[in-house]
Amino acid sequence: MAKVLIIAEHDGRSLSPATAKTVQGAHGLAADVIDVVVFGDALDAIAQDAAKLAGVTCVRVVEDASLAPALASRLAPEVVALSEGYTHILAPSTTFGRDLLPRVAGLLGCNQVSDVMEVVDARTFKRPIYAGNAIVTVRVPDAISPVLATVRTASFAAAAASGSAKVEAASAQAQDPGHTEYVGAEGSSGEGPDLSSATVVVSGGRAMGSSENFELIGSLAKKLGAAVGASRAAVDAGYVPNELQVGQTGKIIAPDLYIAVGISGAIQHLTGIKDAGTIVAINKDPDAPIFEVADLGLVGDLFQLLPELEDAL
Ligand SMILES: Cc1cc2nc3c(=O)[nH]c(=O)nc-3n(C[C@H](O)[C@H](O)[C@H](O)COP(=O)(O)OP(=O)(O)OC[C@H]3O[C@@H](n4cnc5c(N)ncnc54)[C@H](O)[C@@H]3O)c2cc1C
């Protein structure tokens, strides 16, 4: 009998869509129980949203001032304290889950399966390897319990908001290990949609040449209501901050529409957009590898094409 605990991701105001996708991933486990735990402070609205996710049995709400903002070092022992009786513990394969779950795995002495993209059965999963060039099927040995896994959110749709799970208050039980302190958070300007969950993304590459030129991408994105992304070369060159990087060592995204401008299409970049719907590429080199995966391609100089495209829009 599978009993699943999912660790909810939120920003203190709303539940991250990554949680709904993790719940959808858990449906494949044919579990008898899917509980979601929400850690933080003043969690009413977030807990209510989690309770609406189809298939969720119970939302366990652990409210404590020391749990907000969420630090993996503080949350991990709390997850362990709640883990009794669960056969599976899941978190989204986002920065949040990738930070937290390995700590839980360390404390429980269990190996973790990372980046689950398909559930074969309760102990067997498919996950990408070699920058997404191959898919490996892995099985968690029977001796390991609970099964710990991060779920690749780009591989699952969000669970429908059609449920009505019960909401239960729980108390913080673990001691703060005290070795990590929250100092502050710096993020993007908050303009435009979030890159991880946007339905349209416009990304620029090395060819943009400068941060000033990169504003052409921002301007097109604004017109389309899109999020801005970038290749690693553009990030390394300092045109945009690291949080905009798409790819193997950046964000894995699954927008309905992805527009790659002046990006060659290196495998490490393509890994990040494997699950995108329609891919549009603008590149002056007709042999650029990006055209092998693009649904639509424009061959030409981006500095001419982008203003034309924007005018046309
Ligand atoms: C371990 C590892 C992890 C990595 N992780 C990532 C990752 O997460 N994300 C990522 O993106 N990369 C990653 N990389 C780097 C990756 O291999 C490539 O180097 C990078 O993606 C190249 O970025 P680019 O396409 O912007 O630049 P380039 O490969 O230099 O391509 C620039 C493109 O712009 C075109 N171009 C030039 N001028 C114009 C113009 N005026 N108009 C139109 N087109 C023009 C060129 O024809 C070319 O195709 C990783 C590499 C390694 C080794």
Side-chain angles (χ1 to χ4, degrees):
M1 168 177 143
K3 195 175 170 200
V4 182
L5 180 66
I6 293 172
I7 305 155
E9 176 175 346
H10 63 86
D11 61 3
R13 294 186 299 274
S14 54
L15 190 68
S16 159
T19 306
K21 293 178 177 189
T22 308
V23 169
Q24 185 68 29
H27 287 174
L29 295 167
D32 303 277
V33 170
I34 300 178
D35 290 347
V36 172
V37 59
V38 193
F39 294 106
D41 204 15
L43 296 169
D44 276 358
I46 295 165
Q48 290 307 327
D49 283 348
K52 287 185 198 139
L53 297 176
V56 172
T57 316
C58 175
V59 177
R60 305 182 70 179
V61 183
V62 185
E63 279 183 322
D64 194 290
S66 73
L67 297 170
L71 284 181
S73 57
R74 175 72 186 93
L75 295 191
E78 289 295 344
V79 175
V80 172
L82 278 179
S83 66
E84 181 75 35
Y86 288 102
T87 57
H88 295 70
I89 300 178
L90 308 182
S93 187
T94 53
T95 308
F96 168 78
R98 285 193 255 173
D99 190 18
L100 174 58
L101 213 64
R103 288 172 186 266
V104 177
L107 291 171
L108 287 172
C110 295
N111 292 339
Q112 171 193 308
V113 182
S114 301
D115 258 346
V116 168
M117 56 191 296
E118 191 183 321
V119 177
V120 179
D121 64 38
R123 286 190 166 265
T124 316
F125 307 94
K126 292 192 176 180
R127 60 178 299 264
I129 54 167
Y130 304 133
N133 270 334
I135 309 297
V136 66
T137 304
V138 292
R139 186 176 155 72
V140 180
D142 292 338
I144 292 183
S145 182
V147 173
L148 297 175
T150 57
V151 174
R152 193 175 187 273
T153 50
S155 301
F156 297 93
S162 57
S164 55
K166 63 178 173 183
V167 177
E168 204 175 83
S171 308
Q173 302 174 52
Q175 271 216 313
D176 185 344
H179 53 62
T180 311
E181 190 185 330
Y182 179 82
V183 176
E186 282 176 37
S188 61
S189 63
E191 272 180 37
D194 172 53
L195 175 59
S196 305
S197 54
T199 51
V200 182
V201 173
V202 186
S203 282
R206 194 197 308 271
M208 299 312 299
S210 69
S211 341
E212 292 73 39
N213 291 343
F214 214 92
E215 279 164 24
L216 286 169
I217 300 289
S219 173
L220 178 62
K222 202 166 179 186
K223 199 142 231 174
L224 291 168
V228 172
S231 71
R232 177 158 156 182
V235 169
D236 287 351
Y239 306 158
V240 286
N242 175 270
E243 71 213 34
L244 298 192
Q245 185 176 315
V246 171
Q248 184 191 342
T249 43
K251 297 213 161 71
I252 309 281
I253 58 174
D256 296 336
L257 172 62
Y258 185 73
I259 304 179
V261 183
I263 292 178
S264 58
I267 184 66
Q268 296 89 353
H269 187 81
L270 300 184
T271 298
I273 55 166
K274 213 172 130 313
D275 297 300
T278 300
I279 298 176
V280 176
I282 298 179
N283 198 303
K284 68 177 185 187
D285 174 7
D287 296 323
I290 190 79
F291 288 126
E292 286 168 27
V293 297
D295 300 283
L296 293 167
L298 269 179
V299 178
D301 187 340
L302 71 92
F303 294 105
Q304 185 196 331
L305 292 175
L306 278 188
E308 280 180 20
L309 182 58
E310 214 184 309
D311 281 351
L313 283 165

